[in-house]
Amino acid sequence: MALTQARTMPGVLELLPLDQIAFQRVLDTIRRNYERFGFLPVETPVMEYSDVLLTKTGGETERQVYFVQSTGSLEQGEKPELALRFDLTVPLARYVAEHEHDLSFPFRRYQMQRVYRGERAQRGRFREFYQCDIDVIGKDGLSVRYDAELPAVIYSVFRELNIGAFTIQLNNRKLMRGFFESLGVLDAEQQTLVLREVDKLDKRGADYVRETLTGTNFGLAAEVADKILAFVQVRSSSLQQALEQLDALGPGPESMEQGRAELKEVLGLIRDFGVPESHFALNLSIARGLDYYTGTVYETTLNDYPQIGSICSGGRYENLAGQYTKSRLPGVGISIGLTRLYWQLREAGLINTARSTVEVLVTQMDEARMPAYLALASELRGAGIATEVVLEGGKLARQFKYADRAGIRFVLVLGEDELAKGVVTVKDMRRQDQFEVARAELIKTLRVELAQAEIAP
Amino acid sequence: MALTQARTMPGVLELLPLDQIAFQRVLDTIRRNYERFGFLPVETPVMEYSDVLLTKTGGETERQVYFVQSTGSLEQGEKPELALRFDLTVPLARYVAEHEHDLSFPFRRYQMQRVYRGERAQRGRFREFYQCDIDVIGKDGLSVRYDAELPAVIYSVFRELNIGAFTIQLNNRKLMRGFFESLGVLDAEQQTLVLREVDKLDKRGADYVRETLTGTNFGLAAEVADKILAFVQVRSSSLQQALEQLDALGPGPESMEQGRAELKEVLGLIRDFGVPESHFALNLSIARGLDYYTGTVYETTLNDYPQIGSICSGGRYENLAGQYTKSRLPGVGISIGLTRLYWQLREAGLINTARSTVEVLVTQMDEARMPAYLALASELRGAGIATEVVLEGGKLARQFKYADRAGIRFVLVLGEDELAKGVVTVKDMRRQDQFEVARAELIKTLRVELAQAEIAP
């Protein structure tokens, strides 16, 4: 038979086992923290009806959708009825609308599943990637206090992921809109265009942006351009400073006052939620998707890796599921694009891919002693210690080499000597240390060592 | 805007949160046990190239495949290049062939992901469902000892799932083949047809099957038909009996002797792996897919729910990835079709869907005291206790009702009295019990209660 080349499509991140273990650890940490804050799991089917999935979108998103067809439908030349989800927000909207009467509000859900986008293949861009989202959905209304809870969750997640210092940056779309209105930039579309220019600040510098804004395309007065540039450069380094900076913006139209009041309340509550002031800040340049978000917006960046960009973003929206239901469902949510983040963290050397889930390897000295090896392994597994037994034998040196390559920390030897003395020889592959321990003490000893490893960086 | 009806396609199991929590508990238990036995996680992309996915299959499987196309490819009227995986075995074969030089053998992997089949919509049949697989893949060879390890994993998983008594039933394809040969039924296809008839034994009875086998279609001698019927009715109730039953089959051709020797070794080792004799048995009627499996085959059934059928099946195969690589990769594996199993267990009342992941609700008596509520919640979360805080207020009775509906066990009240006395009022929703506890003792008290709940059935 001619061989088919085993290969995967471009734009997917398929991992080798040790890498997958590291990825799984990150997933578990995120989930544990989401659950610790009382968010409930939801999973939705990877496929949705195309007409349900594509009610709102248009333009680029729709062009990136993967459509799905069964063999029968394909043969009959039908238009595909199904498509793969491209985010978790549309499935959430569909879920909440479909199950509205079975859910309690505010509905707090987390969802960690893969999504699909037919992006152009490019290094660091993925066509299949994990999103890890949390959202709180209210019915008719939702207190702005929830806008402060999400940064507390973000803080908890990234602190535990232990990937260095990070800052959760906040802005408010009402504040922004009101500010632009106060400068006579009333049209939402023009506000968008101005913000897009302002986004070039870091790359092109203030002079370039000022020139564009006062040029023929925008025609803003120099004074207005300067005010915009000053506004978007506001960053706080403490809660007190953030509140002062907000006050210093001076009075504005109603939406600006609303946005300011919301931001102040949210910033104060973030502190009450226990987030250190070093980890959140005002950043008035953050806009996010202009159509979708209507109040608080967030971005989170790693202080030492600004080039990675935002590792967790989100915000407040007015109505989740207007395309499916007449109920008004305001919400606030954040999303971690985990596949890309994991890839970037690994590139930056912040991921440890040398540790297996397998904690112990029981070696085989003599195949006649197999029952003793299996009994030892059973005992360890019963104590919750992940244990592999060498079932095929071979030289002991090769068995050690296997453990080393596989990232297994403890290798146990149970030879005739050990059996006679009632002990086990333990080799700690990480510390390159070897010791004997009484059989009765083995589990306790390994547990202590493994618990210490959990704490170590 | 006209509303689009929020709906999902037929054949998917979308769960409400409490149900999803119960499902997630099952997934976690399976994963924990797979890891405890030293299996490594693998995840593969949901999409594979169609030509890679469909090298081997034909007939029914291919007719059930979902094909995937990007918008661009669809517009250009191209044939779909991509398809959704329909099991985890073909992706495993592709993975092992693609990464062969980066893997250590025997390669022990687990994979728990959703697969897709365009089945006819029918109650209890799913188009999207979880498979939870483990396989051990050898290079060139793989000891039959691994055939005994998988039942030990199955035992460990289902014991911990706590869904009642179950039996892991074993047979061996070589034994079967040799037995048929000894009766003059030499053709593999005819063996398959005979086994298909024999499968009707439970439904139609022995007389019906005997009549068919001796009828014009098969034309077997009455004596041969009787021997076949006796063979497939062999069931053991202890290891000793199983070994005796195997011996009682009498001598046979080489493949029968090989199969018998393998079965005896595997049965003995299963006991050495610590599986009680009550939980595994010889069952010579088990055939599984005749083309694929070549040695040991397994099925697992719930003793009290035979109508559910096999909850975990698998076996030994000669060569995993012959379509992709010249390397010979024998293996042994099992699979749990979790979505269907979960659905069946729930129907049978064996799933508890009343317990939330949220362990504590901190109520709101007075919004001015919000910082105190948030500090209390932070403390609990720091101790690993999943805690939700009521951020929107409302009557206390309504907050209790919310906790009750949501399956949250502990509701905490921190009013002026409690704050003054340095205590917290704890209401245990499950026991309908209420008590005061000193603030400093709160975490310890809740931990004890929660740990007890873990143990309780």
Side-chain angles (χ1 to χ4, degrees):
Chain A
M1 192 172 73
L3 295 181
T4 304
Q5 198 204 339
R7 64 203 198 281
T8 44
M9 59 183 276
V12 299
L13 187 68
E14 181 167 88
L15 303 173
L16 288 170
L18 283 177
D19 222 343
Q20 184 70 47
I21 288 168
F23 189 90
Q24 188 65 47
R25 280 206 190 94
V26 176
L27 269 179
D28 287 345
T29 301
I30 295 173
R31 180 150 75 98
R32 187 166 51 245
N33 279 282
Y34 285 177
E35 290 193 348
R36 204 168 279 167
F37 276 81
F39 287 82
L40 304 173
V42 160
E43 290 196 345
T44 64
V46 76
M47 294 184 246
E48 298 273 355
Y49 280 122
S50 315
D51 69 308
V52 173
L53 197 66
L54 300 170
T55 47
K56 254 191 172 174
T57 55
E60 214 187 345
T61 309
E62 186 142 2
R63 298 224 35 95
Q64 294 188 341
V65 166
Y66 282 109
F67 290 95
V68 177
Q69 264 180 307
S70 66
T71 314
S73 149
L74 196 69
E75 280 170 357
Q76 285 164 36
E78 290 170 6
K79 247 191 91 183
E81 260 200 311
L82 300 166
L84 301 182
R85 60 173 168 243
F86 52 83
D87 69 7
L88 301 178
T89 305
V90 178
L92 171 66
R94 195 267 308 144
Y95 182 94
V96 174
E98 188 172 344
H99 305 294
E100 196 178 330
H101 302 293
D102 295 311
L103 301 175
S104 300
F105 293 89
F107 175 53
R108 307 157 61 81
R109 87 85 176 77
Y110 76 85
Q111 187 170 358
M112 300 169 59
Q113 290 192 285
R114 296 173 183 224
V115 306
Y116 298 86
R117 292 185 196 171
E119 300 243 21
R120 203 159 304 198
Q122 190 182 337
R123 203 177 132 75
R125 282 270 168 198
F126 296 96
R127 291 175 176 174
E128 174 185 65
F129 58 97
Y130 267 99
Q131 284 199 332
C132 306
D133 286 17
I134 47 175
D135 286 84
V136 186
I137 312 297
K139 195 147 176 177
D140 299 320
L142 184 74
S143 161
V144 74
R145 289 180 189 134
Y146 291 97
D147 297 27
E149 187 178 31
L150 297 201
V153 184
I154 300 174
Y155 170 70
S156 179
V157 166
F158 288 105
R159 189 188 48 168
E160 201 170 320
L161 283 179
N162 198 21
I163 51 173
F166 58 91
T167 310
I168 305 162
Q169 301 176 66
L170 290 100
N171 195 359
N172 185 296
R173 296 295 318 287
K174 287 176 196 161
L175 178 83
M176 251 184 158
R177 206 174 65 227
F179 173 76
F180 277 109
E181 279 168 17
S182 75
L183 299 178
V185 184
L186 303 176
D187 183 61
E189 209 168 309
Q190 211 202 346
Q191 291 177 9
T192 311
L193 292 172
V194 169
L195 284 170
R196 202 169 294 161
E197 280 314 305
V198 162
D199 242 10
K200 299 175 185 163
L201 205 58
D202 285 346
K203 273 193 191 154
R204 302 292 196 94
D207 288 346
Y208 171 88
V209 174
R210 189 182 296 107
E211 229 164 81
T212 313
L213 291 180
T214 54
T216 45
N217 276 345
F218 288 92
L220 298 181
E223 197 196 66
V224 169
D226 282 338
K227 278 191 176 165
I228 292 173
L229 283 171
F231 181 87
V232 297
Q233 287 181 82
V234 169
R235 308 279 184 283
S236 69
S237 56
S238 71
L239 174 58
Q240 187 54 39
Q241 192 195 14
L243 300 177
E244 284 166 13
Q245 284 168 329
L246 285 172
D247 284 336
L249 295 173
E254 197 194 327
S255 72
M256 187 167 162
E257 295 306 335
Q258 252 186 40
R260 174 160 31 210
E262 285 181 12
L263 259 180
K264 285 175 146 185
E265 183 173 355
V266 169
L267 289 165
L269 272 170
I270 292 176
R271 183 204 45 198
D272 295 341
F273 263 103
V275 181
E277 291 189 34
S278 52
H279 284 70
F280 66 100
L282 198 60
N283 177 345
L284 297 190
S285 77
I286 290 170
R288 307 298 310 157
L290 269 169
D291 301 331
Y292 189 57
Y293 295 116
T294 52
T296 311
V297 283
Y298 323 96
E299 287 189 357
T300 305
T301 47
L302 293 174
N303 299 359
D304 301 330
Y305 300 87
Q307 72 281 9
I308 287 182
S310 178
I311 56 175
C312 176
S313 312
R316 156 74 67 150
Y317 39 88
E318 215 46 59
N319 197 9
L320 174 72
Q323 70 270 47
Y324 305 126
T325 171
K326 286 183 180 161
S327 304
R328 204 170 76 77
L329 301 167
V332 59
I334 53 156
S335 181
I336 301 174
L338 186 59
T339 300
R340 186 172 153 78
L341 174 61
Y342 179 84
W343 182 84
Q344 288 169 318
L345 294 176
R346 200 181 55 176
E347 293 278 304
L350 293 170
I351 297 283
N352 175 3
T353 58
R355 263 172 59 205
S356 179
T357 37
V358 185
E359 296 164 317
V360 168
L361 183 75
V362 177
T363 56
Q364 186 185 131
M365 297 277 281
D366 172 5
E367 66 173 0
R369 289 297 196 169
M370 192 54 76
Y373 308 141
L374 295 181
L376 177 63
S378 265
E379 209 179 296
L380 294 169
R381 288 169 186 147
I385 296 171
T387 304
E388 179 178 342
V389 184
V390 177
L391 294 179
E392 297 216 292
K395 282 184 186 155
L396 205 56
R398 237 188 98 208
Q399 299 180 36
F400 275 99
K401 207 174 143 195
Y402 169 83
D404 190 42
R405 253 192 91 183
I408 303 173
R409 179 154 167 210
F410 295 105
V411 180
L412 305 193
V413 178
L414 196 63
E416 292 308 313
D417 280 2
E418 283 89 354
L419 283 163
K421 286 161 66 184
V423 299
V424 179
T425 297
V426 178
K427 177 152 184 188
D428 183 335
M429 302 298 282
R430 198 167 313 154
R431 295 211 194 120
Q432 284 301 314
D433 184 20
Q434 184 166 319
F435 54 93
E436 265 187 10
V437 54
R439 177 71 180 260
E441 296 293 311
L442 178 64
I443 284 169
K444 215 179 72 189
T445 306
L446 291 176
R447 271 190 174 153
V448 169
E449 297 283 345
L450 289 165
Q452 281 173 351
E454 278 301 305
I455 302 157
Chain B
M1 192 172 73
L3 294 182
T4 304
Q5 198 204 340
R7 65 202 196 283
T8 44
M9 59 184 274
V12 299
L13 188 68
E14 182 167 87
L15 303 172
L16 289 170
L18 282 178
D19 223 341
Q20 184 69 47
I21 288 167
F23 189 90
Q24 187 65 48
R25 280 206 190 97
V26 176
L27 269 179
D28 288 345
T29 301
I30 295 173
R31 178 150 75 97
R32 187 165 53 244
N33 280 282
Y34 284 178
E35 292 193 347
R36 203 168 280 167
F37 276 81
F39 286 81
L40 304 173
V42 160
E43 290 196 345
T44 63
V46 76
M47 293 184 248
E48 299 272 354
Y49 280 122
S50 315
D51 70 308
V52 173
L53 197 66
L54 300 171
T55 48
K56 255 191 170 172
T57 55
E60 214 188 345
T61 309
E62 186 143 3
R63 297 221 39 92
Q64 294 189 340
V65 166
Y66 282 109
F67 290 95
V68 178
Q69 263 181 307
S70 66
T71 314
S73 149
L74 195 68
E75 281 171 356
Q76 285 164 37
E78 290 169 4
K79 245 191 91 184
E81 261 200 310
L82 300 166
L84 301 183
R85 60 172 168 245
F86 52 82
D87 69 7
L88 301 178
T89 304
V90 178
L92 171 66
R94 196 266 309 144
Y95 182 94
V96 174
E98 187 172 344
H99 306 294
E100 196 178 329
H101 302 293
D102 295 312
L103 301 176
S104 300
F105 293 89
F107 175 53
R108 307 158 62 80
R109 87 87 176 75
Y110 75 84
Q111 186 170 359
M112 299 169 60
Q113 291 191 285
R114 295 174 184 223
V115 305
Y116 298 87
R117 292 186 196 171
E119 301 242 20
R120 204 159 303 196
Q122 190 181 338
R123 202 176 134 76
R125 282 269 167 196
F126 297 97
R127 292 176 175 172
E128 175 186 63
F129 57 97
Y130 267 99
Q131 283 199 333
C132 306
D133 285 18
I134 47 176
D135 287 84
V136 186
I137 312 297
K139 196 148 176 177
D140 300 320
L142 183 74
S143 161
V144 75
R145 289 181 189 131
Y146 291 98
D147 297 27
E149 187 177 32
L150 297 201
V153 184
I154 300 173
Y155 170 70
S156 180
V157 166
F158 288 105
R159 188 188 48 170
E160 200 169 321
L161 283 179
N162 198 22
I163 51 175
F166 57 91
T167 309
I168 305 163
Q169 300 175 66
L170 290 101
N171 195 359
N172 185 295
R173 296 295 317 287
K174 287 176 197 161
L175 178 83
M176 251 184 157
R177 208 174 62 226
F179 173 75
F180 277 110
E181 280 168 15
S182 75
L183 297 179
V185 184
L186 303 176
D187 183 62
E189 208 167 311
Q190 211 202 344
Q191 289 177 8
T192 311
L193 293 173
V194 169
L195 285 169
R196 202 169 294 160
E197 281 313 306
V198 163
D199 241 10
K200 299 175 184 163
L201 205 59
D202 286 347
K203 273 191 191 155
R204 303 292 197 94
D207 288 345
Y208 171 87
V209 174
R210 188 182 297 110
E211 230 164 80
T212 312
L213 291 180
T214 55
T216 46
N217 277 345
F218 289 92
L220 298 181
E223 197 197 66
V224 169
D226 282 339
K227 279 190 176 166
I228 293 173
L229 284 171
F231 181 87
V232 299
Q233 288 181 82
V234 170
R235 308 279 185 282
S236 68
S237 57
S238 72
L239 174 58
Q240 187 54 40
Q241 192 194 15
L243 299 176
E244 285 166 14
Q245 285 169 329
L246 285 171
D247 285 335
L249 293 172
E254 197 194 327
S255 71
M256 187 168 161
E257 295 307 335
Q258 251 186 39
R260 175 164 25 211
E262 285 181 12
L263 258 180
K264 284 175 147 185
E265 183 173 355
V266 168
L267 289 165
L269 273 169
I270 292 175
R271 182 204 44 201
D272 294 342
F273 263 103
V275 181
E277 293 189 35
S278 52
H279 284 70
F280 65 101
L282 198 61
N283 177 343
L284 297 189
S285 77
I286 290 171
R288 308 296 311 157
L290 268 170
D291 301 331
Y292 189 57
Y293 295 115
T294 53
T296 312
V297 282
Y298 322 96
E299 288 190 357
T300 306
T301 46
L302 293 174
N303 299 359
D304 301 331
Y305 299 87
Q307 72 281 8
I308 286 182
S310 179
I311 57 175
C312 176
S313 312
R316 155 74 66 151
Y317 40 87
E318 217 45 61
N319 197 10
L320 175 72
Q323 70 270 46
Y324 306 125
T325 172
K326 286 182 180 163
S327 304
R328 204 171 75 77
L329 301 167
V332 58
I334 53 156
S335 180
I336 302 174
L338 186 60
T339 300
R340 187 173 153 78
L341 175 61
Y342 179 84
W343 182 83
Q344 288 169 318
L345 294 176
R346 200 181 54 176
E347 295 277 303
L350 293 170
I351 297 284
N352 175 2
T353 57
R355 263 171 60 205
S356 179
T357 37
V358 185
E359 296 165 316
V360 169
L361 183 75
V362 176
T363 55
Q364 187 184 130
M365 295 278 281
D366 172 7
E367 66 174 358
R369 288 299 196 168
M370 192 56 76
Y373 307 142
L374 296 180
L376 177 62
S378 265
E379 209 179 295
L380 293 170
R381 287 169 185 147
I385 296 170
T387 305
E388 178 178 343
V389 184
V390 177
L391 294 179
E392 297 216 291
K395 281 184 187 155
L396 205 56
R398 238 188 95 209
Q399 299 180 35
F400 276 98
K401 208 175 145 194
Y402 169 83
D404 190 41
R405 253 192 90 183
I408 303 173
R409 178 153 168 211
F410 294 105
V411 180
L412 306 192
V413 179
L414 196 63
E416 293 309 313
D417 280 2
E418 283 90 354
L419 282 163
K421 284 160 67 185
V423 300
V424 178
T425 297
V426 178
K427 178 152 183 188
D428 183 334
M429 301 299 280
R430 198 167 312 153
R431 294 213 193 117
Q432 284 300 315
D433 184 20
Q434 185 166 319
F435 54 93
E436 266 187 10
V437 54
R439 176 70 179 259
E441 296 294 311
L442 178 63
I443 285 172
K444 216 179 72 188
T445 305
L446 290 176
R447 272 189 174 156
V448 169
E449 297 282 345
L450 289 166
Q452 282 173 349
E454 278 301 305
I455 302 159

